[in-house]
């Protein structure tokens, strides 16, 4: 998968709903996630991004931000949506994505919306997958009604606490995961909206809905889930006609934090009848990312037509360099390129040549090169190495080709000079990374 798919917007009335489609295939999979979701920030959360990539390997994945969250339109706190409105929002997203009858996958409190959708619009749900569902979240909390309001205040006031100890206890010692989770939560939902959605989930009671579901249904949960106990999920499975129940080992409430491969294997077998294995092909390759410096400002000054002409010239020049140095274009990102090379030396030399070449167009580019193991799915690449390469490029100065220490070490003795740029924190990537600026080794 490329660094980030394009974000589009569906409309339900006056409200715009952010969504993305990822992957391709005859099967559509609609993810109805919890309200803590952000269609773009999710790709900076490696664990969640990997989960989405696994799902998108099964077909075309559609994921979206619920009204009032993520990149969807904010709405006044006193107008945050009820469940019926959220179901109609989902239908609007499906219409915009031209998806007639997807497999619907609800996670955590998103299972409430998924079940309501399947019951109210059976023609829009070919099959249903539910992870950690319950029909009455108050039972999950195990608290008297007066205590629920107090608990909601405690949760929404805990602005520096991701809740990892209860949401994903298997990751309590993983500081990077905790940090990513808290950042993702803050990007996804405002504090006031958080209280609304918590309250809505906690006070929900849809015990009359499961019996109305006619789609083939797979129900999943982990045996030690501390938020929605397995017994509550068993109850849901018993209420849906002919539902299949799978009890998984583990204790995490977050679907993407523990044993993702087991979950996606179960989903794949349920939806397709086969299991193809937990991981796509993995290969060692060198990645190059480029982008034009200050492109937004320059585009605003030039106007659409002149900017489009300049982009066309830039693309032609960079593609010529990719051909010259044996690079394979994976994707363009508007004003930049993502490419792979068999040789780190060729990738660096291509980057240097392109960086020098675009000066004639009156622009500068920055470039980043990294070598690592990637996941290969058709023409797409994914994995942590892709994120590292993109972040290395983002750290480069105008006109600079920045490389990871991996690339620098591989090119020892190649004649390519490097200047030490010190250690950097790369957004969404664990640890500190030592980066180097590549210089020209003479005529290419």
């Amino acid at each position: 998968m490329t660094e980030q798919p394009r974000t589009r917007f569906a409309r339900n009335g006056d409200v715009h709903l952010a969504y993305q489609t990822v992957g391709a295939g005859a099967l559509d999979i609609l993810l109805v996630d919890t309200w803590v979701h952000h269609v773009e920030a999710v790709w900076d959360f490696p664990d969640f991004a990997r989960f989405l990539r696994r799902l998108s390997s099964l077909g075309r994945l559609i994921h979206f931000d619920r009204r009032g969250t993520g990149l969807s339109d904010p709405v006044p706190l006193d107008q945050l949506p009820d469940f019926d409105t959220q179901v109609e929002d989902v239908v609007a997203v499906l219409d915009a994505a031209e998806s007639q009858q997807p497999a619907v996958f609800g996670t955590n409190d998103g299972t409430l919306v998924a079940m309501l959708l399947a019951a109210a619009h059976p023609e829009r749900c070919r099959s249903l997958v539910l992870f950690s569902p319950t029909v009455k979240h108050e039972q999950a909390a195990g608290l008297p009604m007066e205590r629920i309001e107090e608990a909601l205040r405690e949760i929404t006031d805990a602005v520096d606490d991701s809740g990892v100890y209860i949401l994903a206890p298997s990751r309590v010692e993983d500081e990077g995961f905790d940090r990513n989770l808290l950042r993702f939560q803050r990007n996804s939902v405002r504090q006031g909206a958080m209280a609304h959605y918590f309250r809505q989930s906690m006070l929900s009671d849809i015990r009359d809905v499961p019996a109305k579901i006619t789609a083939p249904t797979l129900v999943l949960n982990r045996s030690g889930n501390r938020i929605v106990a397995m017994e509550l999920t068993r109850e849901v499975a018993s209420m849906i006609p002919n539902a299949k129940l799978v009890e998984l080992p583990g204790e995490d409430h977050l679907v993407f934090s523990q044993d993702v491969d087991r979950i996606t294997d179960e989903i794949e077998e349920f939806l397709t009848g086969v299991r193809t294995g937990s991981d796509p092909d993995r290969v060692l390759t060198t990645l190059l990312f480029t982008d034009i410096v200050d492109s937004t400002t320059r585009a605003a000054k030039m106007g659409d037509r002149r900017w489009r002409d300049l982009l066309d010239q830039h693309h032609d020049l960079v593609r010529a360099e990719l051909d010259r140095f044996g690079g394979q274009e994976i994707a363009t990102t508007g004003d930049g390129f993502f490419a792979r090379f068999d040789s780190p030396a060729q990738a660096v030399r291509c980057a240097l040549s392109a960086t020098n070449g675009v000066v004639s167009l009156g622009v500068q580019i920055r470039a980043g090169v990294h070598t690592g193991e990637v996941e290969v799915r058709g023409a797409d690449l994914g994995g942590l190495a892709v994120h590292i390469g993109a972040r290395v490029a983002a750290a480069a100065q105008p006109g600079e080709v920045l490389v990871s220490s991996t690339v620098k070490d591989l090119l020892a003795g190649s004649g390519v000079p490097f200047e030490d740029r010190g250690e950097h924190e790369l957004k969404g990537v664990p640890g500190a990374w030592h980066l180097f600026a590549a210089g020209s080794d003479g005529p290419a």
Side-chain angles (χ1 to χ4, degrees):
M1 141 134 341
T2 54
E3 186 192 10
Q4 188 177 114
R6 177 184 174 188
T7 299
R8 295 176 170 84
F9 291 88
R11 288 188 63 176
N12 186 10
D14 294 330
V15 176
H16 294 79
L17 304 160
Y19 75 97
Q20 292 180 346
T21 61
V22 190
L27 173 67
D28 280 354
I29 303 169
L30 172 73
L31 175 63
V32 185
D33 193 20
T34 174
W35 39 266
V36 182
H37 195 84
H38 188 296
V39 292
E40 293 187 356
V42 70
W43 301 109
D44 293 327
F45 195 160
D47 297 86
F48 208 154
R50 181 172 185 272
F51 176 61
L52 296 189
R53 288 196 300 272
R54 281 297 321 271
L55 289 176
S56 68
S57 72
L58 309 181
R60 184 176 71 134
L61 173 66
I62 305 164
H63 71 121
F64 68 99
D65 294 335
R66 288 156 72 173
R67 178 184 300 226
T69 72
L71 289 179
S72 290
D73 281 350
V75 294
L77 295 180
D78 61 353
Q79 296 178 28
L80 284 164
D82 58 19
F83 281 126
D84 288 341
T85 301
Q86 292 182 64
V87 169
E88 294 311 311
D89 284 347
V90 174
V91 173
V93 169
L94 290 177
D95 288 344
E98 299 181 343
S99 179
Q100 293 304 310
Q101 196 176 44
V104 178
F105 178 21
T107 70
N108 306 127
D109 71 276
T111 58
L112 297 167
V113 178
M115 284 189 278
L116 288 164
L117 173 72
H121 297 279
E123 76 283 357
R124 305 306 295 266
C125 180
R126 65 179 290 173
S127 52
L128 181 65
V129 178
L130 304 170
F131 178 81
S132 74
T134 178
V135 291
K136 204 166 185 294
H137 276 77
E138 180 189 347
Q139 295 175 338
L143 298 173
M145 190 64 67
E146 60 273 14
R147 178 71 179 92
I148 286 178
E149 289 295 334
E150 182 182 345
L152 287 171
R153 286 193 297 272
E154 292 174 356
I155 291 169
T156 54
D157 288 344
V159 295
D160 294 320
D161 182 2
S162 71
V164 67
Y165 56 92
I166 189 168
L167 292 170
S170 75
R171 309 298 289 272
V172 165
E173 302 301 322
D174 187 338
E175 293 182 2
F177 182 90
D178 188 13
R179 186 167 55 250
N180 286 335
L181 179 59
L182 181 59
R183 183 187 304 116
F184 184 66
Q185 291 168 341
R186 287 173 171 167
N187 284 333
S188 298
V189 63
R190 297 166 293 161
Q191 287 297 109
M194 181 184 296
H196 166 84
Y197 284 110
F198 259 125
R199 181 177 292 104
Q200 185 179 72
S201 298
M202 294 293 290
L203 302 183
S204 63
D205 186 347
I206 62 165
R207 283 174 292 185
D208 62 331
V209 171
K212 301 175 184 177
I213 295 172
T214 58
T217 302
L218 171 66
V219 181
L220 304 161
N221 199 358
R222 297 188 179 102
S223 58
N225 191 326
R226 300 183 187 182
I227 294 181
V228 176
M230 193 68 216
E231 63 192 65
L232 299 177
T233 293
R234 289 194 198 101
E235 178 186 30
V236 173
S238 71
M239 299 168 76
I240 299 175
N242 302 312
K244 177 184 178 182
L245 174 66
V246 175
E247 183 172 342
L248 303 163
E251 53 188 349
D252 288 6
H253 183 62
L254 298 180
V255 66
F256 59 86
S257 61
Q258 186 177 28
D259 202 3
V260 163
D261 291 329
R262 173 68 187 276
I263 289 174
T264 49
D265 283 349
E266 293 288 350
I267 295 171
E268 180 181 26
E269 184 173 26
F270 177 72
L271 296 181
T272 70
V274 297
R275 295 192 187 201
T276 58
S278 63
D279 268 323
D281 291 337
R282 299 182 67 87
V283 298
L284 185 68
T285 194
T286 297
L287 308 172
L288 166 64
F289 284 86
T290 72
D291 72 90
I292 298 176
V293 177
D294 293 331
S295 58
T296 302
T297 301
R298 183 175 291 272
K301 289 181 178 179
M302 296 181 67
D304 290 344
R305 174 173 288 185
R306 289 180 59 208
W307 175 246
R308 184 69 259 171
D309 290 343
L310 178 61
L311 275 185
D312 288 343
Q313 295 176 64
H314 163 268
H315 285 17
D316 288 344
L317 188 153
V318 175
R319 287 190 174 114
E321 297 296 342
L322 290 176
D323 288 342
R324 179 184 176 203
F325 289 96
Q328 176 189 351
E329 179 182 336
I330 303 300
T332 56
T333 56
D335 62 352
F337 280 81
F338 171 29
R340 63 179 293 190
F341 293 78
D342 293 333
S343 160
Q346 294 299 85
V348 170
R349 292 188 173 108
C350 177
L352 289 167
S353 187
T355 300
N356 292 330
V358 298
V359 173
S360 65
L361 304 178
V363 298
Q364 288 182 300
I365 63 174
R366 57 171 60 89
V369 181
H370 175 62
T371 298
E373 193 176 64
V374 299
E375 300 172 357
V376 180
R377 290 190 179 94
D380 257 348
L381 301 182
L384 183 60
V386 174
H387 291 277
I388 293 171
R391 299 310 177 208
V392 170
Q397 295 299 311
E400 185 174 61
V401 176
L402 211 56
V403 308
S404 65
S405 57
T406 307
V407 172
K408 189 250 187 186
D409 291 344
L410 287 170
L411 293 186
S414 68
V416 176
F418 294 98
E419 292 185 13
D420 194 331
R421 291 292 188 262
E423 290 191 340
H424 293 250
E425 296 287 335
L426 304 181
K427 182 181 177 182
V429 179
W433 287 78
H434 209 137
L435 303 181
F436 299 84
S440 176
D441 59 346

